[in-house]
Amino acid sequence: MHPMITTTYVSTFSGNRFYPLEPHIDHVAIEDIAHGLAYQCRFNGQTCEFYSVAQHSLVVASLVPPRLRLAALLHDAAEAYLGDMVKPLKVLLPEFAAIEEKVTLIIGATFGVDFSDYAPIKTADLVALATEKRDLMPHSVERWAYLDSIRALPERIVPMSPREAKLAFLDTFDALYGTDAKSRI
């Protein structure tokens, strides 16, 4: 009898499997990404209201030129499989960052997204971050040095429910990628 080899995996919303130690995804599904990001709160949940990674991604996508919108929408897509790790921990765990990069490349290859022109997306990400800090973290009054030259958006964030964020994420994906992802959920 051969010993059974078991590989650690994470089940996705739609029943796919993500293998973080390899990393490998059975089937990269936009529904899994939208669901995972919509039901994850930014800042490890340390916000005054629930605010999802999906809504954050929508904000970032709205701030970049049209040619970069799909990449911006998917810039945090790996978090659907790995979780949203807060920046101070991510800096301490370079192995996690390497896994996150591999998952991002898998997602990029699946949807034909090139993440190499990342500077405008990073700038939009920081504008979203400055706005989120102002609107969703009122007790976080300390200076975040990397936001010193970044101006928050003039409009305030109105948090969406997870379901609203998921549907808006899928609608935006459909418009940018040319599919009808919502018809599959």
Side-chain angles (χ1 to χ4, degrees):
M1 185 180 264
H2 299 292
M4 180 180 256
I5 299 173
T6 59
T7 302
T8 303
Y9 66 87
V10 176
S11 291
T12 67
F13 175 70
S14 67
N16 290 306
R17 291 180 181 177
F18 164 60
Y19 300 87
L21 302 179
E22 296 177 6
H24 168 77
I25 304 166
D26 282 346
H27 173 69
V28 178
I30 195 61
E31 298 87 357
D32 287 337
I33 293 169
H35 186 86
L37 298 181
Y39 283 85
Q40 277 186 68
C41 191
R42 290 267 293 159
F43 306 104
N44 210 27
Q46 301 300 317
T47 52
C48 61
E49 292 183 63
F50 180 85
Y51 177 74
S52 71
V53 176
Q55 187 172 353
H56 162 79
S57 297
L58 290 163
V59 170
V60 174
S62 74
L63 298 175
V64 297
R67 67 181 176 77
L68 295 175
R69 287 195 181 132
L70 185 57
L73 183 70
L74 297 175
H75 83 282
D76 282 338
E79 293 177 13
Y81 299 99
L82 299 169
D84 181 16
M85 184 179 290
V86 292
K87 188 180 211 95
L89 282 178
K90 202 179 277 191
V91 169
L92 295 173
L93 301 169
E95 245 179 78
F96 179 86
I99 293 169
E100 185 176 49
E101 177 65 24
K102 287 177 185 173
V103 173
T104 298
L105 291 174
I106 291 168
I107 293 166
T110 299
F111 297 113
V113 174
D114 179 5
F115 291 103
S116 63
D117 189 8
Y118 200 73
I121 295 170
K122 185 60 186 170
T123 299
D125 194 36
L126 290 171
V127 170
L129 178 63
T131 308
E132 293 159 357
K133 182 179 187 291
R134 178 196 69 204
D135 297 350
L136 302 165
M137 303 182 74
H139 304 293
S140 183
V141 294
E142 74 281 1
R143 174 178 169 242
W144 292 3
Y146 50 89
L147 294 179
D148 282 351
S149 64
I150 305 296
R151 293 183 57 185
L153 297 170
E155 58 274 2
R156 297 194 71 77
I157 291 172
V158 177
M160 298 175 172
S161 73
R163 178 158 175 72
E164 290 169 325
K166 179 180 178 177
L167 294 176
F169 187 97
L170 289 171
D171 282 344
T172 302
F173 178 84
D174 288 344
L176 297 171
Y177 194 67
T179 58
D180 187 11
K182 278 196 321 190
S183 69
R184 296 188 299 257
I185 59 172

